[in-house]
Amino acid sequence: MVTGILSMAFVWFLFAGKAPNTILAAACIALGAFFWHFSRHQHDHPLPIDIIAQSSKLNGVNASLKFWTVLASIAICISSKNCYTGIFLMAIAPVIAVYAGGMDFDHYLQILMLPLGFLLLSGLSLLFSVSMTQIEGVASFRALGIWFYATTSSQAMAALVVSRALGAVSCLCILSVTTRMPDIIAVLRRSHCPDAIIDLMYLVYRYIFILMSLHHEMHDAAKSRLGMKDYKTSLRSTGMVYANLLARSYHFAAKNFDAMESRCYDTGIRFLEHSTKITMTQGWVCAVLLAVGAALSLMPL
Amino acid sequence: MSDLLKIENVSYQYDGKYRALNNVSVSFAEGELVAVLGSNGAGKSTFFLCCNGVLKLQSGKIVYNGVELKGNKKDTFTLRQAVGLVFQDPDSQIIAGTVESEVSFGPLNLELSKEEVEKRVEESLVQMDILRYRDYAPHYLSGGEKKRVSIADILAMQPSIILLDEPTASLDPQNTDALEHILLALNESGITIILSTHDVNFAYRIANRAIVFADGEIIADANVDEVFSQEDTLKKAGLKKPLLYEAFEHIQKAGLCKRSEKKPRTIEEFAWLMGDADALA
């Protein structure tokens, strides 16, 4: 819901003075209705991202191809001097993830919702400047004795930054919903990323789930003993849960290292890696995607 | 049978204070199925960590296949390859993001070719009946499935001896039964199985030999029937007799048993001894 309100405000102030108010109001209401409808149908228990990646139809596509295409798209998007590349990537991302990958559109939006909220908030802060005296701009209002105003140049700047950021986030979203984390780490290993970083990535990925499950158990145990009965008690219980979690994570780390050593671990964690062949179609799709992105980035404003 | 692994006068102290193992000597022959019994803190886990070479011996020696292993890098590698250790909690052992990568970790550390690693991984997954989970993330598997993954981890390294630390801990009866079948099948294939457990019923059903630890020392090492007949040993180790064993003793005492060749290890053997001729069919 918050993202819906933020998106309405952002669109209103971004196009203020550029489009008739009635059309702008209709667009904002449509946007708000879309987010309201989505928030009503939001899943209570969202699917973990690695389950989505595992079941994606694009999971079998060569991970290196996906990784480098996404990275190149991000580079083109953030170096672009106009909004078109960002908008293009933002539009093409759900097509790839939902149509080609076979995931639910609701799940896609749910994943995008949090970064979208942050980006819109940043967009609004870019749109507005503050002043103690009234300054005429394309839009202005007074709150808490301070004047907030937007100008055409701030609108252009906000549009450019937000479109770049949303384009890049959409690219990352495609990668995370179509490629499992171990496959991404394997691509980084093949790209000669230092062993220490790769080892840490593998262990951090694994431990996120172990510690999350442990935290969940400890939290429930505290709750069952009335540890969350009021604000003050819950603060104390949460502190104790986190302290215990830290101690347990040290214990886990020591045990884990023993288990690795017992299986002849010496230097560097290595796992079996499979690399699927890149088909002609996949190669062409990626090349066309990058070419369109690059062509759009060179277009004049 | 010749000794495959021999532990001689091994002692181990944590932080130079707490003595976890005190002058332990024991040997294991090829194809044995041994239960290591004892209460919490008796030294079972430390013993396993020493047998696998994770803990460096502070005194004593380890002889594998007639060769004394000195504790240098090469010998430690040989020991870890030959003696696999399955940890009590699979989450302490599993480190990879998929089941297949997890099982490949050990063989890759053995510097085997990719083809050989792939072959071993597939064989281990088939043996543990988890081939269908090869692309799954281990954190979405059940406790029993994770335990199978942790055993497959070790099987893929093709050790001669597998040590299992509390293998039945936190397993439901169905998974305990499945594990029992897996361990018996592995033992039949020639692998020496040494498992530590508190579950005397499980140990009595599965093992031929029992070693009892108390306060870091071995206080009994004999056939399971013999160990469970030693009241003093069980009392000192804080153990109880298996239910079937104790019930049969009472039945024998009351003269209700039709046959009395040997003590029953399983409920089917018990029924047969009580006169049900079809029980072992």
Side-chain angles (χ1 to χ4, degrees):
Chain A
M1 204 62 210
V2 176
T3 312
I5 295 165
L6 285 173
S7 65
M8 286 166 75
F10 183 71
V11 168
W12 178 270
F13 290 117
L14 189 68
F15 293 103
K18 286 180 179 167
N21 281 357
T22 44
I23 294 176
L24 210 49
C28 288
I29 289 168
L31 203 59
F34 170 75
F35 280 109
W36 179 74
H37 174 78
F38 171 69
S39 68
R40 276 168 58 95
H41 292 92
Q42 216 170 7
H43 300 267
D44 288 340
H45 300 288
L47 272 179
I49 211 159
D50 54 345
I51 293 263
I52 294 174
Q54 168 78 38
S55 50
S56 170
K57 283 191 247 171
L58 297 175
N59 182 31
V61 177
N62 185 289
S64 298
L65 178 73
K66 287 184 278 185
F67 180 84
W68 291 114
T69 307
V70 160
L71 211 67
S73 304
I74 292 174
I76 292 170
C77 182
I78 56 175
S79 59
S80 158
K81 289 192 166 51
N82 59 46
C83 308
Y84 307 134
T85 315
I87 293 167
F88 167 69
L89 291 172
M90 223 185 331
I92 203 84
V95 177
I96 295 171
V98 177
Y99 179 71
M103 77 180 285
D104 263 11
F105 183 63
D106 280 3
H107 284 137
Y108 178 79
L109 267 187
Q110 209 162 359
I111 290 167
L112 209 61
M113 210 45 65
L114 193 68
L116 187 64
F118 276 108
L119 287 177
L120 291 172
L121 206 60
S122 319
L124 281 170
S125 68
L126 279 171
L127 262 174
F128 285 98
S129 302
V130 289
S131 168
M132 296 312 284
T133 55
Q134 187 175 5
I135 292 177
E136 284 301 321
V138 284
S140 62
F141 64 89
R142 191 164 181 249
L144 304 166
I146 303 166
W147 280 95
F148 292 84
Y149 66 97
T151 59
T152 45
S153 62
S154 72
Q155 279 179 323
M157 166 69 89
L160 182 64
V161 172
V162 171
S163 66
R164 277 176 178 173
L166 274 177
V169 166
S170 303
C171 289
L172 285 177
C173 195
I174 297 177
L175 186 67
S176 37
V177 297
T178 59
T179 319
R180 295 170 311 168
M181 185 51 88
D183 296 337
I184 297 174
I185 303 174
V187 173
L188 290 172
R189 174 189 294 289
R190 285 197 290 273
S191 315
H192 303 290
C193 193
D195 273 355
I197 294 174
I198 297 291
D199 289 4
L200 275 176
M201 286 176 82
Y202 275 128
L203 294 175
V204 166
Y205 172 68
R206 172 83 185 112
Y207 270 79
I208 285 171
F209 294 95
I210 294 181
L211 293 179
M212 256 169 57
S213 136
L214 201 59
H215 173 258
H216 192 71
E217 280 171 24
M218 285 181 184
H219 184 266
D220 283 353
K223 214 165 153 186
S224 75
R225 287 174 289 158
L226 302 175
M228 303 288 165
K229 69 181 165 88
D230 53 40
Y231 182 66
K232 201 178 156 193
T233 320
S234 69
L235 272 184
R236 194 168 151 264
S237 303
T238 305
M240 286 161 80
V241 164
Y242 281 111
N244 206 3
L245 204 58
L246 181 70
R248 289 287 296 273
S249 60
Y250 275 118
H251 171 76
F252 257 120
K255 274 266 174 206
N256 213 206
F257 189 67
D258 281 351
M260 283 162 65
E261 279 208 303
S262 81
R263 285 191 282 160
C264 302
Y265 167 77
D266 194 10
T267 48
I269 296 175
R270 283 169 307 159
F271 298 124
L272 196 57
E273 289 166 9
H274 296 290
S275 189
T276 44
K277 276 191 178 161
I278 301 170
T279 64
M280 193 70 100
T281 321
Q282 290 165 0
W284 274 110
V285 167
C286 293
V288 167
L289 197 76
L290 290 175
V292 172
L296 287 172
S297 74
L298 297 173
M299 276 174 73
L301 263 172
Chain B
M1 280 190 282
S2 61
D3 288 340
L4 187 61
L5 183 73
K6 209 167 169 184
I7 311 293
E8 283 180 32
N9 309 108
V10 168
S11 295
Y12 194 88
Q13 277 183 313
Y14 286 104
D15 303 327
K17 289 177 209 157
Y18 171 66
R19 188 178 283 274
L21 288 180
N22 188 17
N23 206 27
V24 168
S25 295
V26 67
S27 59
F28 300 99
E30 204 176 328
E32 274 194 302
L33 208 165
V34 185
V36 176
L37 304 168
S39 55
N40 288 331
K44 304 186 299 288
S45 298
T46 308
F47 173 67
F48 277 7
L49 290 171
C50 286
C51 286
N52 172 262
V54 170
L55 294 181
K56 297 263 175 288
L57 298 189
Q58 291 165 347
S59 66
K61 63 179 181 180
I62 293 184
V63 180
Y64 174 73
N65 238 347
V67 180
E68 185 184 340
L69 302 177
K70 300 279 186 195
N72 53 35
K73 203 173 171 181
K74 187 172 157 270
D75 285 356
T76 307
F77 189 85
T78 308
L79 185 63
R80 287 175 184 168
Q81 184 179 5
V83 183
L85 173 56
V86 179
F87 281 68
Q88 180 180 347
D89 178 8
D91 278 332
S92 311
Q93 187 179 317
I94 296 171
I95 53 165
T98 65
V99 169
E100 186 186 55
S101 353
E102 169 61 24
V103 178
S104 72
F105 176 72
L108 281 169
N109 287 336
L110 299 179
E111 310 286 346
L112 301 169
S113 67
K114 194 183 172 194
E115 291 72 31
E116 179 63 17
V117 173
E118 277 174 352
K119 187 174 148 260
R120 285 191 183 198
V121 168
E122 181 138 358
E123 280 171 2
S124 310
L125 295 178
V126 169
Q127 224 171 334
M128 287 296 106
D129 195 22
I130 47 172
L131 189 65
R132 60 191 176 281
Y133 301 130
R134 71 187 304 166
D135 290 326
Y136 279 47
H139 34 268
Y140 297 120
L141 299 180
S142 70
E145 288 155 359
K146 278 187 200 170
K147 180 57 87 180
R148 283 166 187 253
V149 173
S150 65
I151 298 175
D153 274 352
I154 304 306
L155 276 183
M157 295 177 77
Q158 298 189 344
S160 321
I161 300 174
I162 299 183
L163 310 169
L164 296 107
D165 195 2
E166 306 281 358
T168 55
S170 70
L171 287 187
D172 59 29
Q174 201 182 352
N175 276 309
T176 306
D177 273 357
L179 179 75
E180 197 174 316
H181 287 114
I182 288 167
L183 296 181
L184 288 170
L186 290 177
N187 187 236
E188 266 174 37
S189 71
I191 300 174
T192 303
I193 304 282
I194 307 168
L195 53 96
S196 78
T197 183
H198 299 292
D199 187 346
V200 286
N201 294 306
F202 175 71
Y204 184 57
R205 268 200 315 272
I206 197 169
N208 307 315
R209 175 181 163 199
I211 296 172
V212 183
F213 272 79
D215 299 324
E217 291 178 12
I218 291 179
I219 57 166
D221 179 0
N223 177 284
V224 268
D225 282 318
E226 202 181 321
V227 167
F228 286 121
S229 68
Q230 298 171 9
E231 306 267 352
D232 288 349
T233 304
L234 296 181
K235 200 175 170 189
K236 198 173 170 193
L239 296 170
K240 284 188 169 180
K241 286 182 182 175
L243 197 63
L244 207 54
Y245 184 97
E246 202 165 10
F248 194 73
E249 271 186 342
H250 287 296
I251 287 169
Q252 267 187 325
K253 243 186 234 171
L256 296 171
C257 183
K258 300 266 166 56
R259 300 180 172 104
S260 58
E261 285 87 344
K262 59 168 191 157
K263 285 199 168 59
R265 293 280 190 89
T266 61
I267 201 75
E268 289 79 18
E269 284 179 11
F270 177 77
W272 183 80
L273 289 169
M274 292 302 291
D276 182 354
D278 301 329
L280 290 178

